[in-house]
């Protein structure tokens, strides 16, 4: 195999044809080359890849020589060729190996669109001399036009070497291409994994955002409920405070009015006393007799022995006045009233005994039922819907089979009567509830009235006469008529009178309650009977005066609408007899109650409907809130 010089190698050009499948070197003077065949034939590229360098070619040849066992002389020859090419042609490392051919102008009459080809890249190889005189190529290259080959004939061994080099190049190129494809697939897979992970992250973020939104909505709802409950409590507390303030204002106004009337009464009494003195001077005998008679009447009233029935009040059939003695005590009351009281208290006693037996036999705790009933009673307000709903719920509790009805009735009667002791209770609304429940549950009204008689004897009505022989001390007498004892001390009379007034207001509201379609067992007829029994049988004192005043304030309007002129006659008797008898007692504690009763009669307040008698359609607070 001959040795190729760098100058000859740079001036040669490799070309091939597909028809003959052979290789040849030709001298390219001004010949213009064009490939009329595919770019790759039998694994050999007509236009080598531009990214090959000379060092890559040399390293490939070295590896091939080692593989086929080439001699060291050939390796030396290649090294010298490498140095020659590096020194003579100044081929830089890392740049592609290029073949250069000078540009010559070919005379070709058949083609007018000739182009200059300045640079042709290729691979170094050799081949045997071939005959290209076929008819297929005769029209392209003529024997006279082609010059002899630029390089010497090479042997078969070098040709095989070049072919193996080309095959190695193809293998390396395929391997690089496969690696690039693998890297590209790996990159695509990584991008897909990244997109999937990013999608999952976005989905998780959206889920967390929805969860946070739900939590936020729930938290806002809880805050709104808490605020609403707080505002409702504040509104209720404000209403209670306003009611207390209004009640206090009315009480102060009443006290001021009482003081004013008391002052006017004193002035009038002083004027009358002066007139009486003047008249006494004029007629000494008449004055002496009048004074003597007055002293006798006062003495009789103080002893409370002789109190005759007032004229003008019709008693019920079989109704008489009597003095009953119980345990040495003397009670003033109508016989019919005492009989009714005895029957009701006897029923209540039997109810207590029956319930006590039930509690002992069952050992069941009914505290929960008692608390439920007490809570419903405390929630009664002067609103129509509230009264209806509370009465319905209480009726269901009284008919609840889980708790004996007798126990529920006992709890209801006791809690309802004790509720009226509170200063802020709604007397008319409570009376509505009692009537509605009594219309659905039998005997409830009897037990409620029995509880009234038990805590307040003036609801009968009856009065206990004080006698030193019957009572060891004054405190014992007070306890007998209803005074309470706290820490061994009897409560103040003013406190007792306030509670007595509350009892009588609820009793008065109860007898005047009229509900369409519902029968009130203890209605206006019983209220008229109570009024007649008090005026006919009970003496005028501070207890009966407070009871009568509270009863008239609550039931006077309804009694007047029912009995008209008859009620007017009763009011005249109260004015001419009852109030006069109270004034003769000349007790300072009676001043206020006398003033209130005179104001009620003189101003004709029985013509005005009392406040709270007509239930409201809704609460004013709810209207303002809306």
């Amino acid at each position: 195999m001959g040795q190729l010089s760098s100058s000859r190698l740079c001036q040669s050009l490799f070309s091939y044809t597909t028809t003959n499948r052979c290789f040849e070197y030709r001298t390219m003077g001004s010949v213009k080359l064009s490939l009329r065949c595919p770019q790759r034939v039998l694994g050999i590229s007509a236009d080598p890849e531009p990214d090959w360098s000379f060092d890559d070619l040399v390293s490939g040849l070295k590896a091939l020589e080692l593989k086929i066992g080439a001699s060291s002389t050939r390796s030396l020859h290649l090294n010298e060729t490498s140095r020659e090419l590096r020194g003579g042609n100044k081929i830089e490392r890392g740049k592609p190996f290029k073949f250069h051919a000078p540009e010559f102008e070919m005379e070709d009459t058949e083609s007018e669109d000739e182009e200059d080809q300045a640079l042709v890249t290729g691979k170094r190889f050799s081949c045997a001399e071939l005959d290209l005189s076929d008819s297929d190529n005769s029209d392209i290259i003529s024997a006279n036009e082609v010059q002899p080959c630029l390089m010497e004939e090479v042997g078969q061994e070098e040709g095989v070497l070049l072919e193996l080099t080309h095959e190695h190049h193809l293998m390396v190129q395929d391997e690089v291409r496969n690696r690039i494809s693998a890297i590209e697939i790996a990159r695509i897979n990584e991008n897909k994994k990244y997109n999937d992970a990013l999608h999952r992250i976005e989905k998780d973020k959206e889920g967390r955002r929805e969860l946070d939104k739900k939590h936020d909505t729930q938290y806002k709802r809880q805050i709104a409920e808490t605020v609403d409950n707080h505002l409702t409590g504040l509104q209720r507390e404000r209403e209670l405070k306003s009611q207390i303030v209004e009640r206090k204002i009315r009480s102060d106004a009443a006290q001021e009015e009482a003081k004013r009337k008391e002052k006017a009464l004193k002035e009038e009494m002083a004027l009358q006393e002066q007139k009486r003195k003047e008249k006494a001077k004029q007629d000494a005998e008449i004055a002496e007799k009048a004074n003597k008679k007055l002293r006798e009447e006062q003495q009789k009233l103080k002893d409370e022995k002789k109190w005759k029935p007032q004229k003008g009040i019709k008693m019920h059939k079989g109704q008489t006045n009597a003095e009953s003695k119980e345990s040495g005590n003397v009670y003033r009351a109508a016989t019919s009233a005492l009989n009714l009281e005895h029957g009701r208290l006897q029923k209540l006693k039997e109810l207590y005994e029956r319930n006590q037996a039930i509690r002992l036999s069952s050992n069941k705790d009914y505290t929960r039922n008692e608390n439920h009933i007490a809570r419903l009673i405390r929630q009664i307000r002067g609103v129509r819907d509230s009264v209806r709903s509370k009465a319905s719920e209480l009726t269901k509790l009284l008919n609840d089979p889980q708790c004996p009805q007798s126990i529920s009735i006992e709890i209801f009667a006791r809690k309802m009567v004790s509720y009226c002791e509170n200063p802020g209770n709604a007397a008319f609304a409570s009376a509505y509830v009692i009537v509605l429940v009594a219309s659905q549950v039998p005997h409830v009204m009897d037990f409620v009235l029995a509880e009234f008689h038990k805590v307040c004897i003036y609801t009968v009505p009856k009065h206990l006469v004080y006698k030193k022989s019957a009572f060891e001390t004054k405190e014992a007498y007070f306890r007998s008529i209803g005074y309470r004892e706290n820490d061994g001390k009897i409560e103040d009379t003013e406190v007792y009178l306030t509670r007595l007034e509350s009892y009588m207001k609820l009793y008065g509201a109860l007898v005047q309650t009229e509900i369409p379609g519902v029968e009130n067992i203890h209605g206006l007829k019983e209220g008229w009977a109570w009024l007649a029994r008090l005026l006919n049988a009970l003496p005028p004192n501070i207890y009966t005066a407070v009871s009568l005043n509270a009863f008239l304030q609550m039931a006077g309007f309804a009694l007047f609408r029912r009995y008209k002129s008859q009620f007017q006659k009763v009011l005249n008797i109260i004015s001419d007899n009852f109030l006069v008898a109270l004034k003769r007692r000349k007790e300072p504690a009676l001043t206020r109650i006398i003033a209130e009763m005179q104001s009620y009669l003189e101003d004709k307040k029985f013509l005005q409907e009392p406040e709270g008698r007509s239930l409201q359609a809704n609460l004013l607070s709810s209207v303002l809130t809306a």
Side-chain angles (χ1 to χ4, degrees):
M1 182 176 61
Q3 183 176 359
L4 297 175
S5 63
S6 61
S7 59
R8 293 176 60 191
L9 189 62
C10 293
Q11 294 176 1
S12 64
L13 177 66
F14 171 72
S15 65
Y16 63 91
T17 60
T18 58
T19 56
N20 294 324
R21 297 182 180 178
C22 62
F23 303 87
E24 67 176 351
Y25 289 103
R26 297 184 182 279
T27 302
M28 303 297 295
S30 59
V31 177
K32 183 175 182 179
L33 298 179
S34 62
L35 298 177
R36 300 171 59 188
C37 61
Q39 292 294 321
R40 183 180 294 275
V41 178
L42 296 179
I44 301 176
S45 176
D47 188 9
E49 294 294 332
D51 57 349
W52 273 59
S53 65
F54 185 76
D55 291 337
D56 295 334
L57 180 62
V58 172
S59 61
L61 292 176
K62 285 182 180 182
L64 189 59
E65 285 179 358
L66 293 175
K67 184 175 181 181
I68 63 178
S71 63
S72 60
T73 56
R74 293 176 182 174
S75 178
L76 179 62
H77 173 71
L78 292 174
N79 291 334
E80 288 176 357
T81 305
S82 176
R83 284 194 298 271
E84 182 179 358
L85 290 174
R86 288 179 182 177
N89 295 329
K90 297 181 182 180
I91 298 175
E92 296 181 2
R93 184 179 300 273
K95 292 187 177 181
F97 175 67
K98 301 178 181 179
F99 281 22
H100 294 272
E103 295 180 358
F104 295 100
E105 209 172 28
M106 277 185 78
E107 297 178 1
D108 191 357
T109 59
E110 295 178 358
S111 175
E112 295 179 0
D113 299 331
E114 298 178 354
E115 295 180 357
D116 296 338
Q117 189 172 4
L119 179 60
V120 178
T121 60
K123 298 182 185 214
R124 177 182 177 186
F125 62 92
S126 63
C127 61
E129 186 175 359
L130 300 175
D131 186 10
L132 302 176
S133 60
D134 293 340
S135 62
D136 295 335
N137 297 327
S138 61
D139 56 343
I140 299 175
I141 302 174
S142 177
N144 297 327
E145 294 175 353
V146 178
Q147 298 295 328
C149 295
L150 294 177
M151 48 190 309
E152 297 178 359
E153 246 181 33
V154 295
Q156 186 177 1
E157 185 176 350
E158 187 173 357
V160 172
L161 178 62
L162 291 176
E163 186 176 356
L164 292 174
T165 303
H166 183 66
E167 291 178 358
H168 173 71
H169 164 69
L170 294 178
M171 291 173 60
V172 172
Q173 186 176 8
D174 290 340
E175 183 178 358
V176 171
R177 188 178 295 107
N178 292 335
R179 290 185 180 181
I180 291 174
S181 299
I183 291 172
E184 185 67 22
I185 293 172
R187 184 183 66 81
I188 292 173
N189 292 335
E190 289 296 330
N191 289 339
K192 185 177 181 181
K193 291 180 181 179
Y194 172 77
N195 292 331
D196 293 341
L198 186 62
H199 180 68
R200 287 195 300 271
I201 291 173
E202 291 295 332
K203 193 173 181 180
D204 292 341
K205 285 183 179 179
E206 186 67 23
R208 290 182 180 179
R209 194 178 297 110
E210 292 294 331
L211 186 60
D212 292 341
K213 187 176 180 180
K214 290 181 180 178
H215 290 333
D216 186 55
T217 304
Q218 185 177 4
Y219 181 66
K220 289 181 178 179
R221 187 181 297 110
Q222 292 177 355
I223 292 176
E225 291 177 356
T226 304
V227 171
D228 185 52
N229 294 334
H230 179 66
L231 292 178
T232 304
L234 290 178
Q235 183 69 19
R236 189 174 301 165
E237 183 179 358
R238 189 176 302 164
E239 290 176 2
L240 292 176
K241 288 182 178 180
S242 63
Q243 291 177 2
I244 293 173
V245 171
E246 290 177 0
R247 196 175 298 109
K248 185 177 180 181
I249 292 173
R250 288 196 299 268
S251 178
D252 293 342
Q255 290 179 1
E256 292 293 332
E257 184 68 17
K259 289 180 181 180
R260 183 184 64 80
K261 291 185 177 182
E262 181 182 1
K263 185 178 179 181
L265 181 62
K266 288 181 179 180
E267 293 177 355
E268 183 181 357
M269 291 177 65
L271 183 60
Q272 290 179 359
E273 185 68 22
Q274 185 178 0
K275 291 180 180 180
R276 192 161 42 249
K277 288 180 180 181
E278 292 177 355
K279 190 177 181 179
K281 290 179 180 179
Q282 295 176 1
D283 196 355
E285 290 184 3
I286 297 175
E288 184 64 26
K289 292 180 180 180
N291 290 333
K292 185 178 180 180
K293 186 178 180 180
L294 180 61
R295 284 193 297 269
E296 290 177 356
E297 291 179 357
Q298 289 178 350
Q299 186 64 31
K300 291 178 181 180
L301 291 175
K302 288 181 180 179
D303 294 338
E304 297 182 354
K305 291 181 178 180
K306 293 182 180 180
W307 174 248
K308 297 181 180 180
Q310 304 293 337
K311 296 180 180 180
I313 303 179
K314 294 182 180 180
M315 307 294 289
H316 286 271
K317 185 177 181 181
Q319 177 178 315
T320 58
N321 298 331
E323 289 187 1
S324 64
K325 293 184 179 181
E326 299 177 7
S327 302
N329 299 332
V330 179
Y331 287 95
R332 293 286 184 87
T335 304
S336 59
L338 292 175
N339 293 335
L340 290 172
E341 178 200 19
H342 179 74
R344 290 164 183 164
L345 292 177
Q346 186 63 29
K347 290 182 180 179
L348 185 63
K349 182 180 178 181
E350 294 174 358
L351 181 71
Y352 284 164
E353 292 175 353
R354 184 164 62 252
N355 291 340
Q356 185 67 19
I358 292 174
R359 290 187 175 94
L360 292 176
S361 61
S362 64
N363 293 326
K364 187 176 180 180
D365 188 12
Y366 301 105
T367 306
R368 182 178 180 182
N369 193 42
E370 181 176 357
N371 293 336
H372 194 182
I373 293 175
R375 183 170 63 255
L376 290 176
I377 292 174
R378 288 195 302 269
Q379 293 175 353
I380 295 175
R381 297 290 182 271
V383 183
R384 189 179 299 111
D385 294 339
S386 175
V387 168
R388 294 280 183 180
S389 63
K390 295 300 180 292
S392 177
E393 293 179 19
L394 287 169
T395 303
K396 290 180 181 179
L397 286 176
L398 295 182
N399 293 325
D400 188 1
Q402 296 181 358
C403 180
Q405 191 179 55
S406 59
I407 293 179
S408 299
I409 291 175
E410 175 193 344
I411 294 172
F412 172 77
R414 187 174 67 254
K415 294 295 182 181
M416 182 59 73
V417 173
S418 63
Y419 172 67
C420 71
E421 298 177 6
N422 301 325
N425 70 87
F428 288 106
S430 300
Y432 269 88
V433 172
I434 294 173
V435 173
L436 289 172
V437 173
S439 65
Q440 300 295 325
V441 183
H443 310 299
V444 166
M445 184 64 75
D446 289 335
F447 294 118
V448 171
L449 293 174
E451 286 289 343
F452 269 123
H453 301 337
K454 182 181 175 182
V455 298
C456 180
I457 62 175
Y458 296 98
T459 58
V460 177
K462 71 178 181 178
H463 174 68
L464 178 61
V465 179
Y466 173 71
K467 288 186 177 182
K468 291 184 179 180
S469 59
F471 301 98
E472 297 179 357
T473 60
K474 199 75 172 176
E475 287 77 9
Y477 169 74
F478 289 149
R479 282 193 292 267
S480 299
I481 63 175
Y483 277 74
R484 291 179 179 176
E485 186 176 0
N486 297 323
D487 299 332
K489 295 181 179 180
I490 297 297
E491 65 181 347
D492 189 65
T493 302
E494 190 67 26
V495 177
Y496 171 74
L497 293 176
T498 302
R499 189 169 65 256
L500 173 61
E501 184 180 11
S502 298
Y503 288 137
M504 291 307 305
K505 281 186 175 181
L506 179 57
Y507 181 77
L510 178 62
V511 299
Q512 65 86 50
T513 300
E514 296 176 341
I515 303 176
V518 178
E519 180 185 3
N520 185 358
I521 304 173
H522 200 77
L524 282 174
K525 182 179 179 181
E526 299 297 330
W528 180 263
W530 181 92
L531 186 60
R533 288 163 185 163
L534 183 136
L535 294 175
N536 287 325
L538 273 62
N541 54 37
I542 189 169
Y543 306 115
T544 56
V546 170
S547 301
L548 179 59
N549 181 50
F551 181 84
L552 290 176
Q553 288 180 4
M554 305 301 288
F557 176 77
L559 288 171
F560 174 75
R561 290 203 311 176
R562 171 71 64 85
Y563 297 102
K564 301 295 183 181
S565 60
Q566 294 296 325
F567 183 70
Q568 284 279 15
K569 292 179 181 180
V570 172
L571 294 181
N572 293 334
I573 292 173
I574 294 173
S575 177
D576 297 339
N577 297 280
F578 194 85
L579 282 178
V580 172
L582 288 177
K583 293 175 183 179
R584 288 174 180 174
R585 298 178 68 90
K586 295 182 180 180
E587 296 179 7
L590 287 170
T591 305
R592 182 181 66 84
I593 194 65
I594 291 173
E596 289 185 4
M597 294 183 69
Q598 280 186 340
S599 175
Y600 181 85
L601 297 173
E602 293 174 359
D603 298 341
K604 295 184 179 182
K605 293 183 178 179
F606 55 86
L607 299 177
Q608 303 173 6
E609 182 177 357
E611 182 181 359
R613 183 177 183 275
S614 298
L615 300 180
Q616 300 178 11
N618 49 24
L619 283 174
L620 180 60
S621 60
S622 62
V623 174
L624 293 177
T625 304

